[in-house]
Structure formats: structure tokens, C-alpha cells
Amino acid sequence: MNPVETSAILWRQRELLSLLLFKLEVESLLLAAGRTRWLGSATYEVELMLERIQSTELLRAAAVDELAETLGLPPGPSLAALTDALDEPWKAVFSEHRTALATLSAEIEAAVEANRDLLTSGRRTVAEALRVVRGGGDGNLYRADGSTAPAAVGARLVDEAL
């Protein structure tokens, strides 16, 4: 494998990671807006992107091993080690790949964490609402301004009154 082919695979990996970040941000917007109707579809798209990234990762690993062999490096070198072993202009190209991949990875980790936080707070909100509705709360309801007010004694859901 030569640097041209390996670089093309790295470009593809960068594109897929960018698309994954986009899908995670869409998921985040849906969560933040409370639009759970589309959350399953958004999550499915994230899973599809992860599958595509995994298959590209296998290609990248094989390409890097072949290139490493031609450069006299042991199998499975880091992208930094591979970059150091290359001559210009490939050293600059692979250095750019390395920087972009590290940046995308950090952004993806932050997006995943933000989505996890949104899901956790959403779960807490639902649990609190269910506790109040079921009468297991502290007997308080929330006003429009967020302050609490005592619940009316014997309050029931409309469906329960019928």
C-alpha cells in the first residue's frame, strides 16, 4: 500500500466521522427540543454510521500495516509514528489527517457526553412527572415560573375521573 491509497482511506474515515458528529448533533437537537418522535430514527442513523466507520477502520488498519511494512516500521504503528517515517509532502498530509482525526474524536466524545446528559435529565424529568401524577411526590406541583405549589387534595388525572 502506498501513501496515496492510505491517505484516501484516512480521508474517507474523516468524512465518516464528520457525518457521525452531524448525526449526534441532530440527535442532541431532538433531545433538547423534546422531539422524541424522531429520536429512534436519529439513533438508528448513528448506529449505521458506526457500522460504516468500523468497516473503514478495518481497511485503514490494513493499509497502515502495509505502508508501515514498506517504511520498515513494525505492524500497527500509531499515525504519529507513520507520519514521522514519511517524507514530504506526505509527512504534512498525514500530520493534517492526524490533527483532524484527533479533533473529530474530541468533538464526538463531547457530543456523546452532551447527549447522555440530555437523556439523563430527560429521564429524571419523566420520573419526577410520574411521581407527581401517581401521587408519590411530596404533594407539590410546579407553577409556570418553576416554583412549587401544593397539590389540591384528591387531584386526579382526567382519565381517572371518567
Side-chain angles (χ1 to χ4, degrees):
M1 185 79 46
N2 61 44
V4 174
E5 294 165 330
T6 306
S7 179
I9 293 169
L10 289 169
W11 271 112
R12 181 68 182 144
Q13 193 171 34
R14 286 170 61 176
E15 290 170 354
L16 290 173
L17 289 172
S18 291
L19 281 171
L20 174 62
L21 181 58
F22 169 74
K23 299 294 184 182
L24 288 168
E25 288 184 6
V26 167
E27 193 175 56
S28 177
L29 291 171
L30 289 171
L31 286 166
R35 303 297 301 245
T36 57
R37 174 183 180 189
W38 302 112
L39 193 55
S41 297
T43 302
Y44 176 72
E45 288 183 353
V46 167
E47 290 169 359
L48 288 177
M49 289 308 305
L50 289 171
E51 288 175 11
R52 292 173 67 187
I53 289 168
Q54 285 176 341
S55 64
T56 303
E57 177 60 22
L58 293 174
L59 291 173
R60 186 209 55 82
V64 165
D65 281 350
E66 280 186 46
L67 182 57
E69 186 178 339
T70 63
L71 295 171
L73 297 173
S78 67
L79 199 48
L82 192 63
T83 301
D84 289 341
L86 290 166
D87 295 326
E88 292 296 344
W90 293 111
K91 183 182 287 274
V93 170
F94 277 68
S95 178
E96 182 184 326
H97 282 310
R98 183 172 175 259
T99 301
L101 289 168
T103 301
L104 281 167
S105 293
E107 290 174 337
I108 288 168
E109 284 180 30
V112 166
E113 187 62 32
N115 287 359
R116 186 176 296 124
D117 290 346
L118 284 169
L119 284 168
T120 301
S121 68
R123 189 180 74 231
R124 276 191 225 121
T125 302
V126 169
E128 175 68 21
L130 288 173
R131 200 169 63 232
V132 168
V133 168
R134 291 180 180 149
D138 56 7
N140 290 327
L141 297 176
Y142 292 99
R143 294 185 180 117
D145 67 358
S147 63
T148 58
V153 176
R156 298 184 300 173
L157 290 174
V158 173
D159 289 348
E160 291 175 340
L162 297 176

